[in-house]
Amino acid sequence: MKNSIFRSFRFEIVLYSLLSLVYTLLTEAALFFGVYLVYQILNNDDVNAKMQQSENIGSNLMNNLNSINNLANNNIQNRIMEPKIQPPGKGLIAVIIITAIIIGLVLFTTYFLLLTKKFASYLEDIAEGITKIAAGNFDTRIYIKNEDEFAFIASKLNTMADDIKQLIENDRKSEYTKNELITSVAHDLRTPLTSIIGYLELVSDQNKLNSDTRQRYIEIAYNKSKRLEKLIEDLFAYTKFSFGEVTMDFSEIDMVKFINQLVDEFYPSFQESGLEYDFSTNLHSVHVVADGNLLARAFANLISNAIKYGKDGKSVNIKLGKENGKVIVSVTNYGRLIPEKDLLNIFERFFRVEGSRSSETGGTGLGLAIAKSIIVMHGGTIGVKSDFDGTVFEVVLDEKKEGNDIT
Ligand code: ADP
């Protein structure tokens, strides 16, 4: 904790003590001056009374003793005008000192308590805040006053309450996600499994079926089993990539060659779907540091989706470019658009646009979630837009700088 001495609570305590001392001394001085004034006034009254008495005596003497009148009068006047105040005795001095000390202590304590009242009430606020946080009220916030150590403690307590609240929320979310995952998986596994069991039951009933029908049912059961296998595979991949349980094998990849190769691998699928495809780039080569197998999986998901969902659109365009040290790959297909409301959820696991679930595309709703996890693992981003110019998935990765070795 870096805190200048002038902002520390020790400095405040010293300051309050000094102020209390100054106020005590001033009050005591004022008090004793007041007492002294009263004493003086009372003393003067006494002298005046004596003066009056002496004047009477003087007048009588003037009448009777004219010869010594002037002399006597002078003497009396001198005695009257210079009254002798008796110096206080030792006992009185001791009493005065003890009284001064007691009054001083009382005043000092009173001033100190008054001056540190705000300070003490802030400590009470902090203690109250801690009690509430300890009781589980993580919305509690302690007001930050000044810049001393207590304000520092208060701000740390606020941060701690925030962090705990966040942790609890994350915990709840992950518990909810886990339950949701189990429900979705159970649902998606059950659907093909039910049909597999159904078809196998029909097949096992030898007498009722001719060989062609039996063969067809076996094929359906086989395809459903393949779908089940794909779902389980995707599920494994998704949990592995999403929860970081994968070791990445980085190497330098030339994206021009990489995408070219990938597109070639999809040639049969393009042919089968009757789609044209086009890979365009004005780059001779551009490099990224990545795990080739993982990256291939992410782009394969995007291209296979473009083929699956862009069948009505006649062509798929793949573009590669670079801008400000970033490598940008886009995969565009045409045909059925993704509704705007779904664009935000499209990368969520098991999310499928209305109609896709029942369609013949045989998806699992995990392809884009897997692609996103992989791209994020590489420090990149993935985005989507879907309008009359086509459905475009765009991946942005960091370009490998010259001289940047792979670590
Ligand atoms: P799957 O394809 O297995 O259903 P994905 O996560 O790959 O799962 O895709 C989620 C949903 O997003 C798909 O069901 C589909 O509705 C939509 N989608 C994905 N890619 C495209 C695309 N290229 N064009 C149109 N819709 C798409």
Side-chain angles (χ1 to χ4, degrees), residues 32 68 71 73 99 138 152 253 256 262 278 283 288 364 392 403:
F32 280 98
I68 56 165
L71 184 63
N73 211 16
T99 314
F138 300 114
F152 180 78
I253 294 171
V256 178
L262 205 62
D278 162 57
L283 302 169
V288 296
T364 60
V392 189

Side-chain angles (χ1 to χ4, degrees), residues 227 230 234 301-310 331-339 342 345-357 359 361-371 384 386 390-393:
R227 161 138 172 63
K230 165 106 172 70
D234 278 359
N301 285 359
L302 297 184
I303 297 172
S304 71
N305 274 355
I307 296 171
K308 264 195 300 191
Y309 301 107
V331 180
T332 307
N333 61 276
Y334 306 91
R336 207 170 142 181
L337 298 181
I338 302 172
D342 292 334
N345 305 314
I346 205 88
F347 295 102
E348 297 286 321
R349 64 183 187 284
F350 298 121
F351 182 85
R352 305 197 73 202
V353 173
E354 193 63 38
S356 306
R357 207 171 259 278
S359 75
T361 51
T364 60
L366 285 167
L368 289 178
I370 292 173
V384 59
S386 189
T391 297
V392 189
F393 283 88

Side-chain angles (χ1 to χ4, degrees), residues 28 32 35 88-104:
E28 274 204 308
F32 280 98
V35 170
K90 275 186 182 171
L92 188 61
I93 289 175
V95 169
I96 289 171
I97 290 173
I98 290 167
T99 314
I101 290 172
I102 292 169
I103 293 175

Side-chain angles (χ1 to χ4, degrees), residues 43-58:
N43 210 32
N44 273 351
D45 281 353
D46 193 31
V47 168
N48 284 341
K50 279 182 184 169
M51 207 167 86
Q52 194 60 48
Q53 211 180 354
S54 303
E55 268 173 8
N56 290 342
I57 295 165

Side-chain angles (χ1 to χ4, degrees), residues 232-367:
I232 292 167
E233 223 175 62
D234 278 359
L235 206 61
F236 266 129
Y238 172 73
T239 44
K240 218 162 72 178
F241 300 146
S242 303
F243 301 107
E245 290 167 14
V246 64
T247 335
M248 291 169 81
D249 183 12
F250 285 108
S251 63
E252 187 176 331
I253 294 171
D254 178 358
M255 289 300 279
V256 178
K257 273 191 200 153
F258 178 81
I259 300 284
N260 245 322
Q261 207 175 320
L262 205 62
V263 171
D264 282 348
E265 282 170 25
F266 274 93
Y267 177 75
S269 305
F270 281 118
Q271 290 288 19
E272 206 181 298
S273 313
L275 281 170
E276 290 188 0
Y277 68 94
D278 162 57
F279 170 45
S280 59
T281 180
N282 52 12
L283 302 169
H284 178 64
S285 72
V286 62
H287 293 91
V288 296
V289 175
D291 181 313
N293 288 328
L294 291 182
L295 211 58
R297 181 162 197 155
F299 282 110
N301 285 359
L302 297 184
I303 297 172
S304 71
N305 274 355
I307 296 171
K308 264 195 300 191
Y309 301 107
K311 269 188 186 143
D312 306 337
K314 307 282 179 265
S315 71
V316 170
N317 305 117
I318 299 155
K319 279 189 190 154
L320 169 68
K322 68 171 188 173
E323 206 178 298
N324 302 327
K326 302 280 179 193
V327 176
I328 304 157
V329 185
S330 67
V331 180
T332 307
N333 61 276
Y334 306 91
R336 207 170 142 181
L337 298 181
I338 302 172
E340 206 178 327
K341 68 173 173 53
D342 292 334
L343 288 174
L344 278 177
N345 305 314
I346 205 88
F347 295 102
E348 297 286 321
R349 64 183 187 284
F350 298 121
F351 182 85
R352 305 197 73 202
V353 173
E354 193 63 38
S356 306
R357 207 171 259 278
S358 54
S359 75
E360 290 297 299
T361 51
T364 60
L366 285 167

Side-chain angles (χ1 to χ4, degrees), residues 12 97-98 101 107 128 130 134 142 157 166 174 178 210 213 242 255 329 332 368 374 397:
E12 285 176 63
I97 290 173
I98 290 167
I101 290 172
L107 283 172
E128 197 182 326
I130 294 173
I142 303 165
L157 281 168
Q166 193 60 47
S174 95
K178 224 161 57 187
N210 62 41
T213 317
S242 303
M255 289 300 279
V329 185
T332 307
L368 289 178
I374 294 173
L397 295 166

